Amino acid sequence: MAFANDETIVESYAGASLAMPRDYFELLKPRVMSLVVFTAIAGMLVAPGDINPFLAVIAIACIAIGGGASGALNMWYDSDIDARMSRTAKRPIPSGRVTRQEALSFGLVLSFLSIFVLGVLVNWLAAALLAFTIFFYVVVYTMYLKRSTPQNIVIGGLAGALPPMISWAAVTGEVSVESALLVAIIFMWTPPHFWALALFKAGDYGRVGVPMLPNVAGNRSTQNHILAYALLLAPLGVSPFFLGFAGPAYGAVAAVMGAAFVWFAFRCWQMPSDDQKMVQAKKLFGFSILYLFTLFGMLIIQALVLKFTGYAI
Amino acid sequence: MTEKENKEMEERRLKAQRARNIAIGLILLALVVVFYLATVLKFGPQILTNRPL
């Protein structure tokens, strides 16, 4: 019987699990799942065509559960390094509430179930994209990229970027340039978001040997990368307006938020690379979350306004 | 482990198992409802009339 620390629950008792349902729910990375759900809803509402509301809810639930399943599989594989990082040490496996085997089984069952239900009840293109997303996150990112290259989150970010394309495919039965653009926005947003985190959590990543950019190339190089990505992201964020599938309200908000993102990235770039508190990196990290929620929130608002009032904003 | 600790642990195990059983039961029930409604939705209400589609 293994004790994680004085306060946490033992992982098993005479071979029987003491895990509660909430521990399993925690394996799904609920906060990441909320972003997945949010961007998937935006993709679904912006997509041309109609989907039965009941099937729409099923599709979003499948995407959320599939995303959660990949989170559980990520925690299964990464439990060794999670236990040694302050940010992740309280997760269900390192804290001893769920065993690795339980997390693996849970992740595999939910992966299969979400893909199967999405395929049978909605369409198989969306299901195939969900399967690819789970595969990419678990096998390509978690098992290979994360521990082998400082470009891990650049390439691996594709997995987190795909939900709007899956929901778009659920509605239309196809993928399109517009859905690819939504993917591109999240894809381009991911590196500066995680590098800002990596700047003030460099000690954690260094301790467990994960080659995040600050640990491999140094803080200055990371700050340069963040600014470069912010400069690319800002115009990309506005491009749905220029391509005509987002209205002027979205365009204006995206432009302001993009400029603010560049400003925060610039402030982070100005920060001394040996800064101990990393205040600007923390501010950029916080703002990056607001940025993505605002952009996709605007897409949702404009789609709902158009649907219920007929006005394009 | 003392007898008292053993008993406490057994109670926790049973409590956790009961909670997991309820959660699994609710999930299975939800799946049944989802597939029932989705089947009616995809095939149309005539599936309920017990006549050939």
Side-chain angles (χ1 to χ4, degrees), chain A residues 196-264:
Chain A
L197 174 74
L199 276 175
F200 60 87
K201 290 285 183 186
D204 260 6
Y205 287 112
R207 197 160 41 249
V208 296
V210 173
M212 293 299 282
L213 199 57
N215 304 97
V216 176
N219 288 355
R220 177 45 55 199
S221 173
T222 306
Q223 289 163 275
N224 293 341
H225 276 75
I226 287 174
L227 185 59
Y229 271 80
L231 288 168
L232 291 170
L233 175 64
L236 192 65
V238 188
S239 59
F241 165 66
F242 291 114
L243 277 184
F245 72 99
Y250 170 87
V253 170
V256 171
M257 291 299 282
F261 198 110
V262 171
W263 170 249
F264 276 100

Side-chain angles (χ1 to χ4, degrees), chain A residues 8-23:
Chain A
T8 53
I9 299 168
V10 288
E11 74 176 24
S12 66
Y13 165 64
S17 173
L18 294 173
M20 298 293 278
R22 64 174 175 274
D23 298 322

Side-chain angles (χ1 to χ4, degrees), chain A residues 7 21 29 84 87 91 109 122 141 146 163 166 180 195 198 209 215 234 238 254 284 293 301:
Chain A
E7 293 183 352
K29 296 191 177 179
R84 291 182 285 145
R87 190 173 66 87
R91 284 178 172 175
V109 167
V122 183
Y141 170 70
K146 185 172 178 178
I166 303 172
W195 284 332
N215 304 97
V238 188
L284 173 62
F293 267 101
I301 290 169

Side-chain angles (χ1 to χ4, degrees), chain B residues 37-53:
Chain B
L37 292 177
T39 306
V40 173
L41 198 75
K42 284 182 101 66
F43 287 94
Q46 62 268 38
I47 199 170
L48 300 175
T49 61
N50 202 26
R51 285 197 300 249
L53 295 173

